[in-house]
Amino acid sequence: MGVFGRAAGHEQVVHCYDARTGLRAIIAIYSTALGPALGGTRFYPYATEDDALDDVLQLSKAMAYKAAVAGLDLGGGKAVIIGDPKRDKTEALLLAYGRFVDSLGGRYITACDVGTYVEDMDVIAKVCRFATGRSSANGGAGNSGVLTAYGVFQAMRAAAQHRWGEATMRGRRVGISGVGKVGAVLAGHLVQDGARVLVADVDDAAVRRTLQSHPDVTAEPVDSLPAQDLDVFSPCALGGALTAGTVDVLRAGLVCGAANNQLADARLAGVLHERGVLYVPDFVCNSGGLIQVADEISGYDERRATSRTAGIFETTLNLLAASERDGVPPAVAADRIAEARMAAAGGVA
């Protein structure tokens, strides 16, 4: 399939190259029907350029749906920079990237994602008017992982109320796969709420930091965590965590996590639904970070952003009620809500 076929449904895909710094980046804008396309920049060592394109197309579409369901007046976009951030990231490369983003005139607004951090957004903002997720010293909101984790926790509470009749994780066994920017903060919320938390991560240092902060948390190998006797499985690392193999061994009755594009195959949403596993779509429960950086556009107010993120609880309850009413998986119900809102604005749906 050609590049136009692969990007079907997207408004714009921009390939960015700078020979001097070695920058290779792709910016994908799925929709601006509801407003400028907001989404983070992922810095990742993709095996091929095709893999990078596939990822940015999927992520940008998810961002559009995320903004629509969250009730934000924003569209969806995403960017990827191809390379190893530990080796290839330089100030000159970030500045070159920032100039490309700025050249789009605000159609795309960037923020942090995997491999990029607050300090990187501060650098990009030197040459780009459309960078959020900056440090508080530079007029930003700081680490968006904080409200992302808070939003996932609110979605988890709502799902618990829907499934078990009580909006708490008290006494529940929750397995978090990935304890980086978001998963580690989520672990803290869960421990405070009385959950029994198990964690796993390919980064041993991340696990050690989490155990130091929360001594009652238990560490498990990444591969074996889904098969543990869990009430909740929470994917909080990279996408594609829910494969057919993972779903086969999954013992949890609820899946709710921060990772983007958790389903390796979209058909698995139906499989989970048929097996009685309540799957909260990732773009619903992880929208706290988007809400935070969106608030930064008009001048960040922490109380306002936190209050709006708390609204993920009601959004999730309403979604699960619609899913039950219509007899469809929550992922299908969420897609319908997002598509209806974009279509009403005259955009792609």
Side-chain angles (χ1 to χ4, degrees), residues 105-120:
R107 281 178 52 77
Y108 170 65
I109 303 170
T110 195
C112 302
D113 196 76
V114 174
T116 59
Y117 302 89
V118 169
E119 54 267 33
D120 299 325

Side-chain angles (χ1 to χ4, degrees), residues 270-343:
V271 175
L272 290 167
H273 188 64
E274 290 171 2
R275 295 184 182 180
V277 178
L278 191 61
Y279 167 63
V280 182
D282 45 56
F283 65 83
V284 174
C285 60
N286 70 7
S287 59
L290 178 64
I291 291 169
Q292 177 172 322
V293 295
D295 194 85
E296 188 178 316
I297 295 171
S298 58
Y300 184 62
D301 183 298
E302 182 177 2
R303 182 177 299 181
R304 180 178 61 203
T306 302
S307 175
R308 189 155 200 174
T309 302
I312 292 174
F313 181 90
E314 290 296 332
T315 298
T316 304
L317 274 184
N318 293 337
L319 166 67
L320 297 178
S323 167
E324 190 171 78
R325 180 191 67 235
D326 297 340
V328 297
V332 173
D335 283 352
R336 288 176 177 176
I337 293 169
E339 290 164 359
R341 186 160 183 251
M342 285 187 280

Side-chain angles (χ1 to χ4, degrees), residues 34-106:
L34 295 170
L38 175 58
T41 295
R42 178 166 296 188
F43 204 134
Y44 189 75
Y46 294 98
T48 68
E49 293 175 359
D50 279 345
D51 289 344
L53 179 58
D54 287 341
D55 201 28
V56 77
L57 293 175
Q58 290 179 340
L59 291 167
S60 55
K61 181 178 180 179
M63 291 303 299
Y65 280 56
K66 183 185 300 187
V69 172
L72 298 173
D73 295 326
L74 291 166
K78 204 78 173 185
V80 296
I81 298 175
I82 302 171
D84 183 343
K86 295 180 180 179
R87 183 193 66 217
D88 302 322
K89 188 192 298 179
T90 63
E91 181 173 6
L93 182 145
L94 292 173
L95 290 172
Y97 170 68
R99 293 185 187 97
F100 277 113
V101 174
D102 195 72
S103 72
L104 295 176

Side-chain angles (χ1 to χ4, degrees), residues 159-180:
Q161 179 169 310
H162 183 87
R163 170 56 62 92
W164 299 304
E166 190 176 11
T168 179
M169 290 293 107
R170 187 183 307 111
R172 300 292 176 186
R173 287 172 59 87
V174 183
I176 303 175
S177 182
V179 282

Side-chain angles (χ1 to χ4, degrees), residues 65-230:
Y65 280 56
K66 183 185 300 187
V69 172
L72 298 173
D73 295 326
L74 291 166
K78 204 78 173 185
V80 296
I81 298 175
I82 302 171
D84 183 343
K86 295 180 180 179
R87 183 193 66 217
D88 302 322
K89 188 192 298 179
T90 63
E91 181 173 6
L93 182 145
L94 292 173
L95 290 172
Y97 170 68
R99 293 185 187 97
F100 277 113
V101 174
D102 195 72
S103 72
L104 295 176
R107 281 178 52 77
Y108 170 65
I109 303 170
T110 195
C112 302
D113 196 76
V114 174
T116 59
Y117 302 89
V118 169
E119 54 267 33
D120 299 325
M121 294 303 115
D122 283 346
V123 172
I124 290 168
K126 292 179 180 179
V127 295
C128 178
R129 296 162 290 170
F130 311 107
T132 59
R134 305 182 307 275
S135 67
S136 56
N138 286 281
N143 178 17
S144 63
V146 174
L147 284 192
T148 302
Y150 181 60
V152 173
F153 178 60
Q154 295 303 324
M156 204 177 286
R157 290 179 57 246
Q161 179 169 310
H162 183 87
R163 170 56 62 92
W164 299 304
E166 190 176 11
T168 179
M169 290 293 107
R170 187 183 307 111
R172 300 292 176 186
R173 287 172 59 87
V174 183
I176 303 175
S177 182
V179 282
K181 294 179 186 177
V182 178
V185 180
L186 176 61
H189 287 301
L190 291 167
V191 168
Q192 188 174 16
D193 197 38
R196 298 171 62 188
V197 180
L198 295 76
V199 300
D201 200 298
V202 294
D203 184 347
D204 293 337
V207 173
R208 287 195 298 270
R209 287 193 297 270
T210 304
L211 297 182
Q212 288 169 359
S213 299
H214 308 291
D216 293 335
V217 168
T218 303
E220 294 286 340
V222 172
D223 292 341
S224 64
L225 183 64
Q228 295 293 318
D229 184 16
L230 302 172

